[in-house]
Amino acid sequence: MDLNYEVHGTGEPIVMIHSPGVDMREWVYIVPHLAETNQVVIFDGRGAGKSPASVKPSDFVDDLRRLIDHLGIEEVTLVGHSMGGQIATDFTLTFPAKVKKLVLIAPSLTGFKYSSEFTEWMQKVNSVAPDVEKLVEMSLSGPNYSITMSSPQQGFLYEMTRHYMKKVFTEWENFEIIWPEPPAIERLHEIKADTLFIQGDKEWEDLSRISEHFKQVQSISFIIVEGADHMVTLTHPEKIVNHIDLFLHKRVIE
């Protein structure tokens, strides 16, 4: 196992998959609370944090499988944010027997067609590459980061994003990602694990469309955190903890 990971606490296992653009430090305010009752595993995805970048096409679902197998975990609760939620969803569809429960925080979705508004924004961000400073500034000026960038977590998010972007342009040798087929958007009705979908109310409209697709999941609950944007994990960790803990244990952390 070449990925950088940490294990906290004991009990039934939870594996947390961070958003792109940051690293496992995203969970710093959440892990201590969840680790009071569970074994919590966090890791840097390939090419992020202290994990090595790939020299061949990345298979994030298989990376997750190898980590779980390396730790000897037979059944797990997955918590995934943004593309981390996409990875968690694809993993659940590929290895359903391994997933007990699924928590998705503002997830992306394999096979989803994003709006022209979003794709044009991403093209605008990418147009300033490979200038790392401009990339960080542009990407974090999006409407889905407006609350975090006006919060005390502004500097922390900026530092994580800069670290990630610097690795992209100094260490990454391959940018291709392999996703399972057929795409998850066509198979969401197959998910049998109890699922929790959390998002802030300050997001691209595309996320509302993604949430509509997830209504195909057999057992799913939806939570909207008011006054939160895409980085709800940084600005509202206590709400994330409470929703997850209630979902897992039917109790609220004071």
Side-chain angles (χ1 to χ4, degrees):
M1 172 50 55
D2 62 343
L3 298 181
N4 179 51
Y5 70 90
E6 297 177 0
V7 180
H8 301 264
T10 59
E12 294 189 3
I14 300 172
V15 175
M16 311 188 79
I17 313 158
H18 64 77
S19 168
V22 295
D23 51 60
M24 70 179 183
R25 289 177 292 168
E26 168 182 3
W27 306 114
V28 66
Y29 305 117
I30 294 174
V31 168
H33 299 285
L34 295 182
E36 292 177 4
T37 53
N38 291 81
Q39 179 192 73
V40 181
V41 180
I42 56 175
F43 69 101
D44 289 325
R46 189 159 302 283
K50 297 179 181 178
S51 288
S54 189
V55 298
K56 58 184 181 180
S58 296
D59 188 333
F60 295 128
V61 172
D62 193 59
D63 279 347
L64 178 58
R65 178 198 62 79
R66 292 191 307 111
L67 174 63
I68 288 172
D69 288 349
H70 172 75
L71 295 170
I73 296 173
E74 295 184 1
E75 189 179 47
V76 66
T77 290
L78 294 178
V79 179
H81 177 211
S82 193
M83 194 171 78
Q86 181 176 351
I87 295 166
T89 300
D90 277 285
F91 183 93
T92 301
L93 288 165
T94 307
F95 306 103
K98 290 181 178 288
V99 180
K100 183 176 182 180
K101 291 192 175 186
L102 180 62
V103 179
L104 305 171
I105 304 172
S108 47
L109 175 62
T110 310
F112 179 77
K113 302 300 182 184
Y114 285 87
S115 65
S116 58
E117 180 185 19
F118 180 78
T119 54
E120 288 169 8
W121 166 254
M122 290 306 300
Q123 290 171 2
K124 184 178 179 181
V125 171
N126 292 333
S127 69
V128 301
D131 188 317
V132 169
E133 298 300 334
K134 287 184 178 179
L135 266 170
V136 175
E137 183 178 344
M138 280 286 292
S139 62
L140 296 182
S141 68
N144 57 327
Y145 292 112
S146 60
I147 292 174
T148 307
M149 293 305 287
S150 299
S151 78
Q153 301 305 322
Q154 175 186 6
F156 183 34
L157 177 58
Y158 192 96
E159 190 277 324
M160 282 195 290
T161 305
R162 186 180 186 280
H163 183 266
Y164 177 86
M165 293 296 186
K166 186 176 180 180
K167 282 180 70 75
V168 168
F169 290 102
T170 58
E171 297 182 20
W172 287 35
E173 296 183 32
N174 191 294
F175 293 83
E176 184 180 350
I177 302 174
I178 298 171
W179 295 104
E181 292 288 348
I185 196 170
E186 300 175 9
R187 303 176 55 199
L188 294 176
H189 63 279
E190 298 176 16
I191 295 178
K192 294 182 172 60
D194 288 344
T195 303
L196 178 63
F197 188 113
I198 305 173
Q199 68 171 88
D201 61 358
K202 185 70 172 180
E203 279 280 5
W204 290 100
E205 182 60 30
D206 290 43
L207 191 59
S208 295
R209 294 170 51 218
I210 287 175
S211 69
E212 286 296 316
H213 284 286
F214 270 95
K215 289 181 180 179
Q216 299 175 59
V217 174
Q218 298 178 30
S219 177
I220 187 167
S221 300
F222 294 89
I223 298 290
I224 295 180
V225 179
E226 295 183 3
D229 62 17
H230 196 62
M231 295 308 294
V232 59
T233 53
L234 296 184
T235 58
H236 296 70
E238 70 290 341
K239 291 188 181 295
I240 297 296
V241 167
N242 275 329
H243 288 309
I244 292 176
D245 208 72
L246 185 61
F247 178 62
L248 296 182
H249 307 293
K250 307 302 181 186
R251 73 189 184 99
V252 175
I253 302 292
E254 295 297 338

